């Protein structure tokens, strides 16, 4: 019996597809296979690991909050307000997405560095210095992760029916009330998905962080930085740290599978 | 009281509509799709800017582009029932209705109490906690009405409020809507393309085509004396325009009607399709209008059969005959028949 054409895959496609899958999965498998399972529990509770993990979770969460506070209004502006140069602004927002993170770190140093454009003023006026501090880590992570949030929220806003805002206006709600009580709840799933993506990106941030904030254990050394450092001294430690990051990423992926991974 | 002159210009469309609605009065804005009904409603609500004209509500000017006056939607004393209701999907029925009072500054408890009162007035006290998607079409329509009325609007705007309902629900909902509109102390504008909704719910009809008023008046006047083909179709009459001298009206070079009312000058002649009799041969004798016509369409129409006819000079007419008569005539499209109308069945009025 012949099966329908859609069920058969020609070898010319099947072979590279299998290779592609193996290419994506094998390294992760290698990580799991090579993990020092016997000593894992002891290594997990080593002070260095816990410190790096705690710092990573804290900075990624703070960076996400910063992105939400600034990124949601920015997304609203891009989605709902007609203004000249909107296309340019949208392009600018996505620049950190394609910019090598190291370049982002250098750029941040030039602006927020002790003698940078804003850094000098911040330092003289408020006595605040960002480079090589924990807040600096948050800034670096937010810089790299914010486009994920803005794009996700803008998409959700464009998908939401703007006539609900008109209905709110006919009921006496100003634009702020209408945003707070109608628009935001309507796009809440999009905001949540954007926040999770943003958080995951912030958690894995390496280039901008090490350039702008350095690699000081307990202060600016997040998990990816710790992995990089451990790789030079103790391979097993690097594997353990990587496993932790992998576990966190997979958990996020699983929580998002319906929204982003599922085929349409 | 609403006093408005709405002028909205867009690409190739121009709406120019003079509208006055007294407090407590219900006016229906009736017209075919694309006539500008919804544009007029949106202009009154402040969702569409005016190109010219003005909007005055209870003595307060809401919009006047010449004087650069414009009150934003949220500060107009209006209530809108949208065609698809636009109930906020994340809020319960109660919270939907309380939204307006809260936005107008009422404390949460008072707003909820007022919303509960309105929900029970529309008979939905038990659905207070339901989300919009759990409501039936008729229930959602009533929640939308309660939500619009809960802010005591000076002007209530309804955009095709019954269009989304099935025939059965429509009947009940129309009757309820009629009661609530009668109780509403403010002015009401009902936008619809359904003549039945307009005739039942409104005291006065304003009919627009291509952005302009073509006829205005109460139901009796409009149904008795339509002035455009669109209105004639709505109220189910054959309508012709021609020059009258005494009892003869010249409609076209080859088409003349003898009418009961003597008149002179430009007139309309109207008669119902039921007044048109069909014959296979030219009838003779009685003082009738007769003309040869070709059958162009046959449809069921209530208990009768409606026959579309093309007469001399391409003048169209509709005739209602009984199924028995249709069978006896063996009506088929393209068939040649004779149409006859008694002069006493026609109505003539000045154009």
């Amino acid at each position: 019996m012949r099966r329908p054409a859609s069920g058969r895959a020609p070898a010319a496609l099947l072979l590279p597809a299998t290779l592609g899958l193996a290419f994506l999965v094998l390294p992760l498998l290698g990580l799991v296979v090579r993990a020092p399972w016997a000593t894992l529990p002891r290594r997990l509770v080593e002070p260095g690991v816990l410190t790096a993990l705690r710092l990573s979770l804290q900075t990624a969460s703070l960076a996400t909050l910063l992105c939400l506070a600034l990124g949601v209004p920015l997304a609203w502006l891009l989605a709902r307000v007609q203004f000249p140069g909107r296309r340019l602004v949208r392009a600018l927002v996505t620049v950190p997405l394609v910019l090598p993170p190291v370049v982002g770190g250098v750029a941040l140093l030039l602006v927020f560095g002790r003698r940078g454009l804003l850094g000098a003023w911040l330092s003289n006026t408020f006595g605040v210095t960002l480079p090589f501090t924990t807040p600096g880590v948050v800034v670096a992570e937010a810089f790299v992760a914010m486009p994920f949030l803005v794009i996700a929220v803008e998409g959700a806003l464009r998908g939401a029916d703007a006539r609900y805002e008109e209905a709110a206006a006919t009921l006496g709600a100003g634009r702020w009330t209408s945003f707070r009580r109608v628009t935001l709840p309507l796009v809440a799933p999009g905001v949540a998905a954007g926040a999770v993506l943003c958080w995951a990106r912030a958690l894995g941030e390496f280039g901008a962080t090490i350039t702008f904030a350095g690699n000081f254990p307990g202060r600016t050394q997040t998990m990816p930085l710790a992995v990089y450092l451990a790789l030079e001294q103790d391979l097993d430690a690097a594997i353990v740290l990587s496993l932790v990051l992998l576990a966190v990423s997979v958990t996020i992926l699983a929580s998002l599978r319906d929204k982003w991974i599922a085929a349409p | 009281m609403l006093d408005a002159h709405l002028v909205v210009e867009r690409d190739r469309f121009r709406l120019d509509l003079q509208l006055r609605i007294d407090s407590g009065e219900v006016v229906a804005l009736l017209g075919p799709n694309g006539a500008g009904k919804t544009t007029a409603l949106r202009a009154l609500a402040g969702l569409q800017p005016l190109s010219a004209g003005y909007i005055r509500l209870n003595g307060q000017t809401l919009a006047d582009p010449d004087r650069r006056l414009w009150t934003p939607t949220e500060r107009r004393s209006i209530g809108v029932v949208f065609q698809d209701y636009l109930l906020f999907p994340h809020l319960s029925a109660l919270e939907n209705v309380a939204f307006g009072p809260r936005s107008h500054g009422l404390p949460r408890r008072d707003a909820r109490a007022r919303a509960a009162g309105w929900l029970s007035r529309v008979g939905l006290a038990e659905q207070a906690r339901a989300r919009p998607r759990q409501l039936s079409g008729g229930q959602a329509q009533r929640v939308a009405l309660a939500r619009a009325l809960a802010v005591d609007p000076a002007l209530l705007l309804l955009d095709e409020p019954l269009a989304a309902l099935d025939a059965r629900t429509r009947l009940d909902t129309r009757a309820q809507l009629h009661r609530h509109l009668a109780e509403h102390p403010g002015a009401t504008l009902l936008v619809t393309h359904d003549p039945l909704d307009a005739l039942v719910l409104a005291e006065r009809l304003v009919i627009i085509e291509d952005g302009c008023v073509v006829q205005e008046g109460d139901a009796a006047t409009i149904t008795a004396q339509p002035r455009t083909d669109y209105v004639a179709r709505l109220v189910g009459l054959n309508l012709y325009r021609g020059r009258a001298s005494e009892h003869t009206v010249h409609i076209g070079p080859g088409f003349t009607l003898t009418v009961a009312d003597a008149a002179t000058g430009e007139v309309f002649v109207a008669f119902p399709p039921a007044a048109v009799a069909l014959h296979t041969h030219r009838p003779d004798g009685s003082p009738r209008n007769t003309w040869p016509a070709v059958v162009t369409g046959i449809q069921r129409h209530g208990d009768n059969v409606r026959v579309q006819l093309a007469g001399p000079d391409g003048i169209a007419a509709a005739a209602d005959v009984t199924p028995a008569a249709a069978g006896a005539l063996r009506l088929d499209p393209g068939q040649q028949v004779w149409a006859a109308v008694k002069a006493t069945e026609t109505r003539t009025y000045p154009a």
Side-chain angles (χ1 to χ4, degrees):
Chain A
M1 202 171 87
R2 286 177 65 105
R3 283 191 294 169
S6 61
R8 278 178 297 141
L13 288 177
L14 198 60
L15 192 66
T18 315
L19 281 176
L21 184 67
F23 176 65
L24 289 176
V25 174
L26 269 183
L28 303 181
L29 219 58
L31 204 59
V32 176
V33 170
R34 278 283 276 111
W37 292 104
T39 56
L40 192 66
R42 187 171 49 78
R43 283 178 176 276
L44 272 180
V45 294
E46 268 175 25
V49 175
L50 283 182
T51 312
L53 183 61
R54 192 183 308 122
L55 185 70
S56 266
L57 295 178
Q58 280 173 348
T59 52
S61 302
L62 283 172
T64 305
L65 287 181
L66 184 64
C67 290
L68 280 171
L70 304 178
V72 172
L74 182 56
W76 181 84
L77 200 70
L78 286 173
R80 285 286 190 273
V81 184
Q82 298 276 355
F83 59 91
R86 185 163 71 156
R87 289 162 70 99
L88 182 70
V89 172
R90 187 177 294 126
L92 287 176
V93 166
T94 53
V95 164
L97 211 58
V98 292
L99 196 71
V102 179
V103 179
V106 173
L108 284 172
L109 265 182
L110 292 178
V111 174
F112 294 108
R114 221 176 273 275
R115 270 176 278 165
L117 293 169
L118 285 174
W121 174 75
L122 278 176
S123 177
N124 294 335
T125 318
F126 303 104
V128 175
T129 47
L130 286 175
F132 311 112
T133 62
T134 308
V137 176
V138 175
V139 168
E141 290 180 348
F143 177 79
V144 174
M146 190 138 94
F148 287 86
L149 182 91
V150 175
I151 289 172
V153 176
E154 196 204 339
L157 281 169
R158 286 184 177 282
D161 195 339
R163 294 181 312 145
Y164 285 112
E165 292 164 28
E166 293 185 348
T170 66
L171 293 166
R175 284 202 115 170
W176 169 241
T177 309
S178 147
F179 173 75
R180 198 169 45 82
R181 293 203 54 209
V182 176
T183 316
L184 210 49
L186 282 178
V187 299
V191 174
V196 173
L197 271 182
C198 173
W199 189 80
R201 181 65 188 87
L203 192 73
E205 218 301 302
F206 178 82
T209 310
I210 201 164
T211 313
F212 182 59
N215 190 358
F216 303 108
R219 199 143 53 90
T220 69
Q221 192 184 78
T222 54
M223 288 290 279
L225 273 59
V227 171
Y228 181 71
L229 199 71
L231 208 53
E232 296 184 337
Q233 300 156 356
D234 179 358
L235 182 61
D236 281 354
I239 295 173
V240 169
L241 290 166
S242 301
L243 268 183
V244 173
L245 277 181
L246 180 66
V248 173
S249 309
V250 168
T251 311
I252 289 162
L253 197 73
S255 73
L256 275 182
R257 68 186 188 284
D258 295 334
K259 292 229 150 37
W260 292 85
I261 314 302
Chain B
M1 191 196 76
L2 172 77
D3 177 17
H5 180 203
L6 308 173
V7 180
V8 178
E9 278 164 344
R10 248 184 347 211
D11 319 330
R12 267 178 274 153
F13 176 77
R14 181 183 158 93
L15 172 76
D16 191 334
L17 172 62
Q18 194 91 40
L19 202 59
R20 285 174 67 95
I21 309 176
D22 285 330
S23 297
E25 190 185 19
V26 181
V27 170
L29 189 61
L30 192 66
N33 287 331
K37 305 184 299 285
T38 298
T39 303
L41 180 136
R42 291 176 61 82
L44 289 170
L47 299 170
Q48 161 81 50
L50 286 187
S51 308
Y54 59 86
I55 301 171
R56 279 195 277 279
L57 186 58
N58 290 348
Q60 191 196 350
T61 302
L62 297 182
D64 189 341
D66 292 343
R67 288 160 59 201
R68 297 188 162 276
L69 280 175
W70 194 72
T71 306
T73 302
E74 62 266 27
R75 280 194 265 128
R76 299 185 180 196
S77 179
I78 53 167
V80 184
V81 176
F82 292 91
Q83 183 169 359
D84 41 5
Y85 316 136
L86 295 178
L87 295 176
F88 303 128
H90 59 289
L91 297 179
S92 66
L94 185 79
E95 288 293 340
N96 261 286
V97 181
F99 190 96
R102 273 200 72 189
S103 297
H104 282 81
L106 234 61
R108 187 189 297 251
R109 283 177 62 106
D110 300 356
R112 285 204 177 141
R114 174 184 273 237
W118 270 103
L119 277 182
S120 63
R121 276 177 81 168
V122 298
L124 288 175
E126 289 179 9
Q127 275 76 26
R129 290 160 160 276
R131 291 289 168 95
R133 73 183 127 77
Q134 298 168 309
L135 298 171
S136 71
Q139 291 172 336
Q141 198 272 354
R142 279 139 69 195
V143 173
L145 181 68
R147 184 175 74 167
L149 287 172
V151 295
D152 291 330
L155 174 63
L156 178 66
L157 302 164
L158 303 118
D159 191 3
E160 306 272 6
L162 302 169
L165 302 176
D166 60 76
R168 167 108 198 82
T169 321
R170 214 174 160 135
L171 206 64
D172 299 338
T173 313
R174 189 189 287 126
Q176 291 191 19
L177 184 59
H178 190 198
R179 187 161 54 80
H180 291 297
L181 293 187
E183 288 169 5
H184 176 53
T188 302
L189 181 72
L190 166 78
V191 161
T192 179
H193 70 273
D194 184 331
L196 189 56
D197 290 348
L199 293 171
V200 171
L201 296 171
E203 294 143 45
R204 190 154 57 84
L205 281 71
V206 175
I207 298 166
I208 60 170
E209 285 176 59
D210 294 325
C212 295
V213 176
V214 293
Q215 196 167 355
E216 198 174 340
D218 59 20
T221 314
I222 302 252
T223 49
Q225 304 194 341
R227 301 184 73 83
T228 72
D229 286 338
Y230 168 72
V231 185
R233 259 200 316 280
L234 282 185
V235 301
L237 287 177
N238 288 304
L239 178 72
Y240 307 96
R241 187 181 175 137
R243 272 202 90 70
S245 59
E246 292 300 303
H247 291 278
T248 308
V249 181
H250 297 276
I251 314 277
F255 193 62
T256 306
L257 287 175
T258 306
V259 297
D261 318 312
T264 48
E266 288 284 310
V267 291
F268 285 114
V269 180
F271 53 86
V276 183
L278 297 183
H279 305 269
T280 44
H281 298 95
R282 178 169 204 165
D284 38 31
S286 56
R288 283 178 160 191
N289 295 295
T290 57
W291 68 94
V294 175
V295 174
T296 56
I298 304 166
Q299 301 130 25
R300 267 210 84 80
H301 187 79
D303 289 341
N304 286 325
V305 176
R306 173 154 294 183
V307 185
Q308 302 292 339
L309 302 167
D313 306 334
I315 284 168
D320 283 356
V321 296
T322 61
L329 287 162
R330 299 180 187 281
L331 287 176
D332 276 316
Q335 190 186 340
Q336 191 81 42
V337 291
W338 283 86
V341 175
K342 283 182 191 161
T344 50
E345 300 267 20
T346 63
R347 271 198 302 270
T348 311
Y349 43 94

